[in-house]
Amino acid sequence: MSDWKAKRFWKDADVVEVDGGFTVELDGRRVKTPAKRPLTLPTRAMAEAVAAEWQAQEKQIDPRTMPVTKTANAAIDKVAVQQDEVVAMLAAYGDSDLLCYRADNPEELMARQAAEWDPMLNWAAAFLGVKLETRQGIMHRPQSPEALAKMHRRTAELDAFELAAFHDLVSLTGSLVLGLAAAEQAFDPQEIWALSRLDENWQAEQWGRDDVAEAEAEIKRQAFLHACAMIVLSKAA
């Protein structure tokens, strides 16, 4: 039974407008989530992306080639049913944001962090009205309750589909600020990802690249870029 795989049974995958959004039908049969909930998608663009994934399947269904479908399923089956908890978990990253914890040596690394991370904190102050304080070292020091409350409110404005993508934007970067910047499409996704890897790239410059670490980082980068693409699909007209 461990070798069993679902086989393709349909000829055409089509986008259909339904109450609350759009869905995908396989030869007239509506796709459902793994929890048997209706796969109701917020935008036609997202539904078209899901339909394209189903249409691209060959004899056997390979979920690994269906990232948009997978994230949409997570939004419906996992996020929507516990949305307040997901919001609280992600907003909590603001209290230990990557951008706020700085090296205390060497001076070259300290300067690079300031040069590349300070502009993002300035963006958060201007766009979100949130001023986060930086610290040297790794010892936790809480941010102001006011700043944390503002970031919680902004996170709570995201719908279930945005939150499903936002989870990866935040967890992969370790930064609520970078996650919000990506969710707002305020900067190029590749630039945001590079900022999250500043420390790792610095270490690689000093000690050389590690093939295993590079491969793992590439998997994470692709996941981050997929999450950015999901945000775009969530906001599409």
Side-chain angles (χ1 to χ4, degrees), residues 53 61 78 81 89 109 111 115 119 123 137 159 163 181 185-186 223 229-230 236:
E53 290 180 346
I61 302 172
K78 297 180 180 180
V81 297
M89 176 188 68
L109 176 57
W123 171 82
D159 65 29
L163 276 173
Q185 302 172 58
M230 286 298 300

Side-chain angles (χ1 to χ4, degrees), residues 19-33:
D19 289 342
F22 303 86
T23 193
V24 174
E25 291 185 351
L26 307 177
D27 293 345
R29 298 171 60 179
R30 292 184 179 178
V31 175
K32 292 189 176 181
T33 69

Side-chain angles (χ1 to χ4, degrees), residues 173-207:
T173 62
S175 169
L176 186 61
V177 171
L178 292 180
L180 288 169
E184 294 293 341
Q185 302 172 58
F187 302 90
D188 180 83
Q190 296 280 12
E191 177 185 351
I192 295 172
W193 178 248
L195 290 173
S196 78
R197 302 290 300 177
L198 186 153
D199 287 345
E200 289 82 358
N201 290 337
W202 169 266
Q203 291 297 328
E205 290 170 12
Q206 309 311 306
W207 308 107

Side-chain angles (χ1 to χ4, degrees), residues 83-110:
Q83 195 152 331
D84 290 345
E85 292 85 348
V86 174
V87 167
M89 176 188 68
L90 295 176
Y93 274 81
D95 198 34
S96 56
D97 198 286
L98 168 74
L99 304 186
C100 295
Y101 286 82
R102 307 295 178 86
D104 52 13
N105 69 86
E107 291 186 3
E108 292 85 351
L109 176 57
M110 296 167 62

Side-chain angles (χ1 to χ4, degrees), residues 43-208:
T43 66
R44 179 176 290 277
M46 185 180 295
E48 289 174 346
V50 169
E53 290 180 346
W54 284 91
Q55 193 64 32
Q57 298 304 300
E58 298 182 352
K59 291 183 179 181
Q60 294 182 327
I61 302 172
D62 185 356
R64 295 172 298 178
T65 65
M66 306 174 75
V68 179
T69 303
K70 180 180 178 180
T71 303
N73 285 337
I76 296 169
D77 286 347
K78 297 180 180 180
V79 176
V81 297
Q82 52 178 349
Q83 195 152 331
D84 290 345
E85 292 85 348
V86 174
V87 167
M89 176 188 68
L90 295 176
Y93 274 81
D95 198 34
S96 56
D97 198 286
L98 168 74
L99 304 186
C100 295
Y101 286 82
R102 307 295 178 86
D104 52 13
N105 69 86
E107 291 186 3
E108 292 85 351
L109 176 57
M110 296 167 62
R112 184 179 298 186
Q113 289 177 336
E116 298 190 23
W117 287 353
D118 285 357
M120 296 304 300
L121 294 181
N122 293 338
W123 171 82
F127 186 83
L128 304 173
V130 173
K131 182 173 176 55
L132 297 180
E133 301 294 337
T134 61
R135 298 88 167 77
Q136 285 190 323
I138 61 174
M139 293 298 294
H140 176 258
R141 288 169 50 198
Q143 299 288 344
S144 73
E146 179 184 13
L148 296 177
K150 286 184 177 180
M151 289 189 290
H152 187 282
R153 287 194 295 270
R154 179 63 191 93
T155 304
E157 292 173 2
L158 301 174
D159 65 29
F161 290 89
E162 292 169 325
L163 276 173
F166 191 61
H167 173 275
D168 287 349
L169 296 178
V170 174
S171 62
L172 287 169
T173 62
S175 169
L176 186 61
V177 171
L178 292 180
L180 288 169
E184 294 293 341
Q185 302 172 58
F187 302 90
D188 180 83
Q190 296 280 12
E191 177 185 351
I192 295 172
W193 178 248
L195 290 173
S196 78
R197 302 290 300 177
L198 186 153
D199 287 345
E200 289 82 358
N201 290 337
W202 169 266
Q203 291 297 328
E205 290 170 12
Q206 309 311 306
W207 308 107

